Amino acid sequence: MRRSCELIFTSTKGPWITNLSRPCSQGSLGLFVPPSPPLDPDKVKELQRFIGLSRKLLVMTGAGVSTESGIPDYRSDKVGLYARTERRPIQHSDFVRSAPVRQRYWARNFVGWPQFSSHQPNPAHWALSNWERLGKLHWLVTQNVDALHTKAGSQRLTELHGCMHRVLCLNCGEQTPRGVLQERFRVLNPTWSAEAQGLAPDGDVFLTEEQVQSFQVPPCVRCGGPLKPDVVFFGDTVNPNKVDFVHRRVKEADSLLVIGSSLQVYSGYRFILTAREKKLPIAIVNIGPTRSDDMACLKLNSRCGELLPLIDLH
């Protein structure tokens, strides 16, 4: 029987009310994490050895590390956005060119933000933060935009695709915290209300066109330009300086561990190619196949939050 999760976010003049039905409150594990086989003790020992032998370990994480925190991904079998709906993520060119597209995006993000921003790190995020504290992790590169690694205390970190907790002006480049924009939305839309009947990745929710038509979007306070989350939308490219920085970190590393990514997007996959050229050993922890399985010396189809805390670095 298929499990359902109805999410209702209601905006009123008073506080925001978020009503999550009981199946959601259990987790994310049943909702957004695809099925995986039981942990194989021999594979766990192999990963323990892989990490134990590393002196400059570079870790790359993807959406699969955050699904256990309740954030859905795009590509997971049966539970990702692509498997559950016909909806597709916003394209960079559409957002930049069209005010109605920006209005629709921000209305949906306004509704989804209280839930998205409240997500907390899971055991996988905490394990990686602990690896850094113990001097094992040389650098962490994440494709996620949810700030959960930062919330867990990771500092040797590159957010490859940016972070939803920051907002950027497309004209002058002014950066502001996303929470500040949320309050500006509330002031501009005191009587606007909407109910969302589904949750998507990256703080998005499902609304109808009728619901978003009256939503007011504020401009940049400095220059009056349009605002965009400080993330790389589909169809956009990662800043070349950031790409070069990560390439240098990969070349400094002596091994690479991929966690929770299918590596289908080239922005992350390119660093696997660099690691292969440098003949670095590569290990992958991901439920389901990845683009780089044939390059890995070790592959585990396991839940990140179940597996990573088992690695003993003492």
Side-chain angles (χ1 to χ4, degrees), residues 5 22 37 92 104 117 149 217 262 304:
C5 174
R22 187 171 296 275
H92 175 79
R104 182 169 66 249
S117 60
H149 285 301
V217 180
S262 64
C304 309

Side-chain angles (χ1 to χ4, degrees), residues 2-19:
R2 182 167 182 168
R3 297 177 66 187
S4 64
C5 174
E6 180 181 26
L7 295 98
I8 301 175
F9 304 85
T10 303
S11 171
T12 65
K13 288 185 178 181
W16 271 76
I17 301 168
T18 303
N19 181 8

Side-chain angles (χ1 to χ4, degrees), residues 4-5 59 68 72 115 124-125 188 195 203-204 215 242 251 264 277 293:
S4 64
C5 174
V59 174
E68 293 174 59
Q115 174 73 6
H125 298 100
L188 271 182
E195 290 186 357
D204 195 11
F215 188 76
K242 186 179 288 188
K251 291 173 182 176
Q264 293 300 314
E277 290 170 6
D293 284 355

Side-chain angles (χ1 to χ4, degrees), residues 40 43 47 90 102 155 165 168 198 211 214 250 254 274:
D40 180 339
K43 288 277 194 178
L47 182 62
I90 192 168
R102 292 195 293 272
Q155 296 182 1
H165 289 250
L168 184 71
Q211 287 175 305
S214 62
V250 174
D254 63 4
T274 299

Side-chain angles (χ1 to χ4, degrees), residues 56 155 179 184 199 209 216 240 258 261 273 277 300:
K56 286 191 172 184
Q155 296 182 1
R184 295 184 67 199
L199 187 65
E209 289 300 318
Q216 301 297 309
V258 177
S261 176
L273 298 178
E277 290 170 6
L300 293 89

Side-chain angles (χ1 to χ4, degrees), residues 209-260:
E209 289 300 318
E210 291 75 21
Q211 287 175 305
V212 307
Q213 283 178 356
S214 62
F215 188 76
Q216 301 297 309
V217 180
C220 171
V221 292
R222 174 191 278 182
C223 74
L227 299 175
K228 173 185 173 294
D230 189 13
V231 299
V232 179
F233 282 143
F234 282 77
D236 194 10
T237 57
V238 179
N239 182 295
N241 292 332
K242 186 179 288 188
V243 173
D244 290 343
F245 178 87
V246 175
H247 274 305
R248 291 197 296 273
R249 301 292 82 74
V250 174
K251 291 173 182 176
E252 293 168 355
D254 63 4
S255 56
L256 191 150
L257 174 61
V258 177
I259 301 174

Side-chain angles (χ1 to χ4, degrees), residues 112-157:
W113 179 251
Q115 174 73 6
F116 181 78
S117 60
S118 70
H119 288 298
Q120 295 300 313
N122 64 58
H125 298 100
W126 291 111
L128 291 170
S129 177
N130 188 49
W131 293 5
E132 178 183 322
R133 184 177 60 82
L134 295 173
K136 174 58 67 174
L137 192 147
H138 176 59
W139 205 262
L140 174 60
V141 180
T142 185
Q143 300 171 87
N144 300 335
V145 297
D146 51 36
L148 293 186
H149 285 301
T150 299
K151 287 182 179 181
S154 292
Q155 296 182 1
R156 298 180 65 82
L157 170 69

